[in-house]
Amino acid sequence: MGMRKKINRATAIKRVAAKVHRDKAKLKRKAKAKTPGQKLHDAMHGRA
């Protein structure tokens, strides 16, 4: 296997791992209750 192929595969694996991490963090954020400041911000921007 050539060097470029190895590098590309490693990069792809890292990308997938990063996406999983981001998705987990997103779920955690969604599950958390909003603070009063965040509620106010949403109301002011029409997302109430």
Side-chain angles (χ1 to χ4, degrees):
M1 186 185 296
M3 203 62 200
R4 180 177 293 161
K5 208 174 202 179
K6 278 185 185 172
I7 291 170
N8 284 345
R9 191 175 64 184
T11 308
I13 290 169
K14 276 184 194 161
R15 202 177 290 130
V16 169
K19 185 181 180 347
V20 167
H21 185 79
R22 280 197 310 271
D23 291 349
K24 247 190 237 175
K26 215 178 274 183
L27 281 175
K28 217 184 272 183
R29 273 201 310 272
K30 294 251 186 228
K32 229 189 271 182
K34 286 192 174 180
T35 64
Q38 288 169 324
K39 285 181 186 168
L40 175 66
H41 180 87
D42 286 348
M44 288 173 72
H45 289 269
R47 289 187 285 233

